[in-house]
Amino acid sequence: MSDTVEVTLRAVGVLAAFLVLPLLVGQTEHKVMAHMQGRLGPMYAGGFHGWAQLVADGVKFVQKEDITPAAADKRVFRFAPAVALVPYLVALAAIPLSPDVVAADLPASAVFVLAVTAVGILGTLMAGWASANKYSLLGAMRAAAQLLSYELPMVLAVASVCLAAGSLSLSGIAAAWSPWWLIFQLPGAIVFLVAAVAELQRPPFDMPVADSEIVFGAYTEYTGLRFAFFLLSEYAGIVVMSLLFAVLYLGGWHGLLSDQLGWLWTLLKGFCIAVVVIWLRVAWPRLREDQLQRLAWLVLVPLALAQLALTGVWVVTTA
Amino acid sequence: MTALDVAFAAVGLITAASGLLAVTTRHVVHAALWLVVCLGAVAGCYLVLGAEFVALVQLLVYVGAIVVLVLFALMLTRAPIGPNSEISTSRLHRVLAGVLGAGVTALLAAALVPIAGPAVERHDTSTTQVAEQLFGTWVWPFEILSLLLLVALIAAMAVSRMTRPEQAADEVQAAQVQAAQTPSESA
Amino acid sequence: MSEQAKKPGGIGIPGILKGLATTARTMAKPTHTAEYPDAQPHLPPRSRGVIALLEENCTSCMLCARECPDWCIYIDSHKETIPATTEGGRERQRNVLDRFAIDFSLCMYCGICIEVCPFDALHWSPEFEYAEMDIRDLLHEKDRLGQWMPTVPPPSALDEHSAEAAEIGATTRPGRLTRATPERPTPTRATPTRATPTQPTPTPATPTRAIPTGQESPAAEAVPEPAPESEE
């Protein structure tokens, strides 16, 4: 019976984190982006510096009419947001905030998170194809091409860390982490960060939703709650990738008072990475499709392979 | 009948049903999407059987990459919404395929059921065990397989770059013209 | 192509770092946002907010309505006969303004009506807070237009050595009824300035300004006459 209670508690905890953290990142994006552009951002909703702006947005999305285009493949169209959203929820469950604070401590959680997030792209593909809209289709194809090419450097970069730690579990990797890795794994970390931003289709890799070219890519036809789900999945993706980066490359809960406040350290490091992701969006223009592919195959993949080889040599010599 | 048996039966049923739907549906993209369900359920089968790592790799490679590639290729072609009759097979084909499928199933059943015997105890395969087997006992087949994949990769590149003789001559000419127009580019 | 794409890549790293630095610096600086409903904006005094009507100056000459590019000024008037003031004198006619309305849902704030008004009946006011929930309420009638008049800023001060304002000049110099010939005052003021350009007085404005002042002065009943005639 206590097992059931514990499972329920963990599930509720993950769901709460899944609903709160993306909103936190979204609000941070509102404010950070505004100040980086010399603006104030939302100031009214909720009173204090517009903290409830995203809640208000959510209420607005709920009130909107849910439109399914007449020519769309209706079942696929309606199902796509769930396919985009649920993988990140599952991935969040496997990311440890500290050795104790983890919803599901899997033996191969690093591979698990990568595998699950790779499923999320199917939601975009389904949305793009089922919308019966040429912009949506173009956006979906761009998304697919982008994600296929950036999946490889990302997996290679993670493989390098796993190799150095001798573990496929995120808890094990963070436990084996030492500050020296900051330099040793730096190329891999950069590759991971770039690939993660590309995987999230965030600027400067937002070709699939380039508004000046293809309206809003695969999500063009979506309104209301389903559109909100896509947005939520984007921000949940930022949360997952930032926490993953913090655990893999920044040592997760390592820090002052890590026994008591380890989870806070992980959240703090992840939050810093999320701010960096937002910062990149503000500072850099969008890449062109050929630049995108060139960066993936001519820079990131060789860099990730070199990092993997370096880690391999290091592991063999120190073993 | 343990919980694991029930789980295995459930994912097995899902696998079989989605596989059947993938080959019977008239919507070409739906077929690919049912394939996703099928491959995901196969990963579930692995998971129930205790091969966690294999299940994850199945998910990462097949659902995350292969099916995405299939969908991408389908979208590059004319993949209309709704059933398209012109790509469906004739009745004879379908009967033949059904007979063939049934035959293979019967063959497998005939070969496997006698040796199944009493239920084998489920044991979790750790990632370390998989690695030891892969890079110990099976290292040569593994390396030869990777070599095969490398050959296939290079061959694919060669095929994609291969041109017919007259076409090649045209291209050389075009390249020369282009080089003459933009000398800085060829430099 | 590859060369072109490579070149920015080679020198791109400092460039993209510079982009990051710029945004970070901007974040550290105070923002430019004007929190308008909470804090009043600092508008220049001559902002084009709304058009005010000084009804007493309007002669219903219709110049503004005709020059308006999108025809958003509506004027109705009728003629009134004023009995002769002196024995055996001529009866005079004047226009009485019945309706003057500007439809601010059409107005594009070009200011042409204000420019063309020969009698200074229209003025720019910096007030801008007259949004309505119904677009039809943006049609301001003459009383509403008149209410904007107190918000019109006074004319800016003249330069130090410039000629006195034409209105003041009209009131201080001898009235028209008393002068012997109409030409006398104007040439005496105009000719010396043309002859001696060293004088700092901005002369060319003087004769042109002298014309409206004539209408401003109470003694100038004769001048509004041409406008109604031109109307018909």
Side-chain angles (χ1 to χ4, degrees), chain A residues 13-27:
Chain A
V14 171
L15 196 64
F18 186 71
L19 291 178
V20 171
L21 292 180
L23 292 192
L24 212 60
V25 171
Q27 184 66 16

Side-chain angles (χ1 to χ4, degrees), chain A residues 177 182 242 244-254 269-270 272-273:
Chain A
W177 184 83
L182 284 178
S242 305
L244 198 59
F245 188 91
V247 169
L248 287 176
Y249 294 98
L250 301 179
W253 51 86
H254 287 276
K269 289 169 181 176
C272 290
I273 298 302

Side-chain angles (χ1 to χ4, degrees), chain A residues 1-8:
Chain A
M1 192 59 207
S2 68
D3 274 1
T4 325
V5 172
E6 195 186 335
V7 166
T8 317

Side-chain angles (χ1 to χ4, degrees), chain C residues 8-29:
Chain C
I11 56 164
I13 298 295
I16 60 177
L17 290 184
K18 213 165 132 191
L20 287 178
T22 305
T23 45
R25 227 179 302 122
T26 313
M27 187 165 73
K29 278 191 240 168

